Amino acid sequence: MSNTTLFTNGRFFTGDASASSFHSCMVVQDGKIAYIGSDSTPEFQDFQKEDNVTVQDLQDTYVLPGFIDAHCHFLMLGNSLTKVDLNGCKDLEEIRSRIKNYATLHPEKKRIMCQGWMHSMTDGQARVDMIDDLDPRPIYIDAKDLHSTWCNSAALAEMGVQDMQDPAGGTIERDAEGKASGLLSESCVMLLVWPHLAKVATKQEKVAALAAAMQAYHKVGYTGCVDMAMDENAWAALLAFREEMGGSLPIRLAAHWLVSPGSGPEDRLQQVDRAIELSTQFNKNTSPDLRIAGIKLICDGIIDSCTAALVEPYTHNTSNSDPIWTPEMLDPVVKKAANAGLQCALHAIGDQAVHNAINVLSQHGRPNQRHRIEHLELTRPEDAARLGKLGITASINPVHADPAILCAWPKLLGPARLKRAFAYKEFADHGAVLAIGSDAPTAPHAPIQNMYVATTRRSARQPDAGDEPVNEEFKIGIAEAVVAATRGAAWSCFDEERIGSLRVGLRADFVSVEMRFEAEGLLGAKVRGTWVEGRKVFEG
């Protein structure tokens, strides 16, 4: 006997922004959508006559497909929920105060973990002597973008950093005497900091962090995500978490295996081999809700720390930054992954890195492989036009386009280049599929606020600050934003025939939202419920 629920009195999203194009009801049977449309049709009335039918009144809320975070770091998000939050700190004094207060309140912690620091809060300085007197325990401070970690002396000591050489693509900042001075940048984070912290964390701590991340996601309407820096530690934790949850997870996760620059060409190809090996075990057929979709390469850094690779030098000091992955390094890795049927996801923020990424994907990728470029913050017009032609997914994070966090960009890029920032509408107009992600925990993970920035180019963080919209001509419409955060994200990992839309035959993953269906109404929206396969996983 089938399990049937009639969801009535809702405004069910069809994919069209027209006020008249919302359906009025939906029928879910055994976790799948069996009907969606009007509640006055004979077909719907037949469902009403069945035995054991449950009716749920959605109270005139908008019903959207479950959001899918197209770019996140799931375990790191869970970990971040228990860290000292430095977001919004104005200066070093406030940073020190928050850390000191936390340390006093938590004598049981072996380490003091912090997140949300930005270089601008401390005038670009990050030294051990600025925090060593706060507590004798190791202190780790994640930069908001996760591209650097500020450590105290105890943290550097427990990682053994003093005797290390700079890893490929990374920098251990040192003082005049050659001693590590506190800041570990770029690949140091993924090669030194993350593995060390993974080693000292218990299995229970990791599983608890994943549970916290999942609850946080359900609360804001996510039913799926694409993890963009998967490694052995996080993968083992996810498998343990799934086992603890009884063999299945109420969230759908596709992952891209992080390939680091490593020790050389052979090392890089061995990392691809590991991704290929795992993808044969965990794929759409064998493990559709916890699988390896492809590889991830971090081609450059970020603009705020002047580590993004640009075509022309930074305006303020006429210097530039080399890509972390040069074209010569990219070529064999992308070729091997693409030939094995893996999707390649290339982090590229600066216009030079974007150009390099498009070039290598055009050479070795095929349009039906749905390779993707992450972030795409600064692009030249000719490269923006190439994405759609080559079938490359534009994996974007509107939350990073928030005017409140772009204070340094005019000085770093100059006015002409600033006009090319976050060219989302241009990508779409040239035929690229947009997939919206949050990049959590580098930024707030809530999808509706993310869509607000995409559709208005105004600040969701400081909506009353009066900041000018950032390149308003590149904004997208509200229906486009919803699609990019649902079907576009599902399409980006070959899952659009299963999830991402409210269509008959698809899984009943959806979210009920009290809102005005217009860009300006998004900040006031409230998630009232989240369902995965017709089962309610969050009630607002």
Side-chain angles (χ1 to χ4, degrees):
M1 185 181 297
S2 65
N3 177 14
T4 303
T5 304
L6 312 183
F7 292 92
T8 63
N9 192 21
R11 305 182 192 196
F12 294 82
F13 182 66
T14 63
D16 188 340
S18 157
S20 61
S21 66
F22 291 86
H23 297 305
S24 60
C25 65
M26 183 169 75
V27 178
V28 174
Q29 282 188 329
D30 301 327
K32 291 185 179 180
I33 298 171
Y35 172 85
I36 184 165
S38 167
D39 56 9
S40 60
T41 65
E43 186 180 357
F44 180 73
Q45 289 160 13
D46 286 342
F47 281 112
Q48 288 180 303
K49 297 171 187 173
E50 292 185 8
D51 295 331
N52 301 312
V53 170
T54 304
V55 179
Q56 186 147 358
D57 184 335
L58 294 179
Q59 301 179 327
D60 202 33
T61 54
Y62 283 91
V63 184
L64 311 176
F67 296 115
I68 301 163
D69 192 339
H71 182 126
C72 75
H73 308 283
F74 199 58
L75 176 57
M76 283 188 273
L77 170 64
N79 286 330
S80 76
L81 297 173
T82 62
K83 293 182 179 182
V84 184
D85 187 2
L86 302 179
N87 278 291
C89 283
K90 295 178 178 60
D91 52 28
L92 176 61
E93 183 180 355
E94 190 172 352
I95 288 171
R96 285 173 52 84
S97 174
R98 289 195 197 182
I99 295 173
K100 186 68 175 175
N101 289 342
Y102 180 89
T104 303
L105 291 171
H106 294 279
E108 80 286 359
K109 298 284 186 184
K110 293 182 179 178
R111 293 165 189 83
I112 298 171
M113 311 298 296
C114 314
Q115 57 98 15
W117 162 67
M118 295 182 72
H119 292 74
S120 58
M121 295 173 183
T122 53
D123 295 324
Q125 301 297 310
R127 302 187 310 273
V128 294
D129 63 355
M130 296 159 70
I131 53 174
D132 267 353
D133 63 323
L134 296 175
D135 198 274
R137 290 169 287 181
I139 299 175
Y140 294 84
I141 305 175
D142 294 337
K144 184 189 285 284
D145 52 51
L146 297 183
H147 279 250
S148 53
T149 305
W150 176 13
C151 305
N152 69 348
S153 294
L156 294 177
E158 77 166 0
M159 287 188 289
V161 167
Q162 294 293 0
D163 299 324
M164 292 181 184
Q165 299 293 316
D166 286 2
T171 303
I172 301 170
E173 295 291 340
R174 300 182 186 276
D175 60 22
E177 297 171 0
K179 289 181 62 179
S181 56
L183 187 65
L184 306 175
S185 299
E186 298 302 342
S187 69
C188 290
V189 178
M190 71 181 93
L191 296 178
L192 307 181
V193 180
W194 293 350
H196 171 75
L197 294 175
K199 185 173 68 176
V200 297
T202 66
K203 174 183 169 183
Q204 270 59 45
E205 287 171 334
K206 295 171 193 172
V207 168
L210 289 168
M214 187 174 71
Q215 288 168 5
Y217 264 16
H218 287 160
K219 185 176 181 179
V220 295
Y222 284 121
T223 57
C225 64
V226 184
D227 190 291
M228 270 296 158
M230 190 53 61
D231 59 14
E232 299 287 357
N233 158 58
W235 188 250
L238 279 162
L239 293 178
F241 182 42
R242 184 171 70 170
E243 186 177 341
E244 196 158 296
M245 293 291 291
S248 65
L249 294 176
I251 194 161
R252 310 186 192 282
L253 191 147
H256 281 255
W257 197 256
L258 182 62
V259 177
S260 75
S263 60
E266 187 177 342
D267 182 14
R268 294 191 281 272
L269 292 177
Q270 284 174 352
Q271 294 178 66
V272 178
D273 285 334
R274 178 59 173 153
I276 295 169
E277 177 190 4
L278 285 169
S279 72
T280 61
Q281 298 174 55
F282 302 95
N283 53 55
K284 275 180 62 179
N285 298 319
T286 62
S287 179
D289 293 327
L290 184 59
R291 60 191 172 92
I292 300 296
I295 63 165
K296 161 80 177 298
L297 309 176
I298 301 177
C299 298
D300 68 341
I302 61 165
I303 285 169
D304 287 271
S305 64
C306 300
T307 51
L310 305 182
V311 173
E312 299 292 337
Y314 287 87
T315 305
H316 71 303
N317 62 5
T318 66
S319 68
N320 210 337
S321 185
D322 293 329
I324 296 171
W325 283 78
T326 64
E328 294 73 28
M329 294 163 67
L330 283 171
D331 192 80
V333 169
V334 170
K335 181 179 180 180
K336 180 164 194 169
N339 286 346
L342 294 180
Q343 288 180 271
C344 297
L346 276 55
H347 161 124
I349 284 180
D351 52 5
Q352 183 64 60
V354 171
H355 183 73
N356 294 349
I358 294 173
N359 280 353
V360 74
L361 292 177
S362 71
Q363 187 172 356
H364 297 301
R366 293 179 289 279
N368 63 351
Q369 289 188 309
R370 301 185 192 176
H371 299 300
R372 38 193 296 162
I373 298 180
E374 311 302 309
H375 310 305
L376 292 159
E377 294 189 3
L378 190 66
T379 53
R380 295 186 297 175
E382 57 269 32
D383 284 330
R386 295 169 73 196
L387 298 170
K389 293 174 186 172
L390 294 167
I392 297 171
T393 304
S395 176
I396 58 173
N397 316 117
V399 67
H400 289 322
D402 192 306
I405 59 169
L406 300 178
C407 308
W409 282 44
K411 174 182 160 188
L412 299 177
L413 297 178
R417 276 188 297 195
L418 197 59
K419 290 178 181 176
R420 291 296 313 162
F422 309 104
Y424 303 154
K425 186 176 187 300
E426 192 170 282
F427 305 154
D429 287 348
H430 285 293
V433 171
L434 302 182
I436 287 181
S438 72
D439 201 14
T442 75
H445 59 273
I448 296 176
Q449 286 83 339
N450 206 348
M451 293 193 301
Y452 174 79
V453 181
T455 55
T456 67
R457 308 294 287 223
R458 296 197 183 98
S459 178
R461 295 171 189 252
Q462 299 174 11
D464 300 323
D467 292 316
E468 286 294 312
V470 176
N471 298 340
E472 197 170 10
E473 68 276 15
F474 291 143
K475 70 183 181 184
I476 58 176
I478 184 168
E480 288 176 280
V482 172
V483 168
T486 55
R487 189 170 72 221
W491 188 92
S492 77
C493 57
F494 287 95
D495 224 1
E496 78 280 7
E497 294 304 319
R498 210 169 63 102
I499 58 174
S501 305
L502 301 181
R503 288 193 286 122
V504 172
L506 271 62
R507 302 302 194 275
D509 296 359
F510 60 97
V511 56
S512 162
V513 187
E514 184 182 313
M515 64 184 292
R516 287 185 292 120
F517 199 82
E518 56 189 51
E520 295 296 341
L522 289 170
L523 280 190
K526 294 180 174 61
V527 173
R528 292 304 183 201
T530 305
W531 286 260
V532 175
E533 289 201 7
R535 184 172 71 83
K536 201 169 198 178
V537 293
F538 169 74
E539 180 158 11

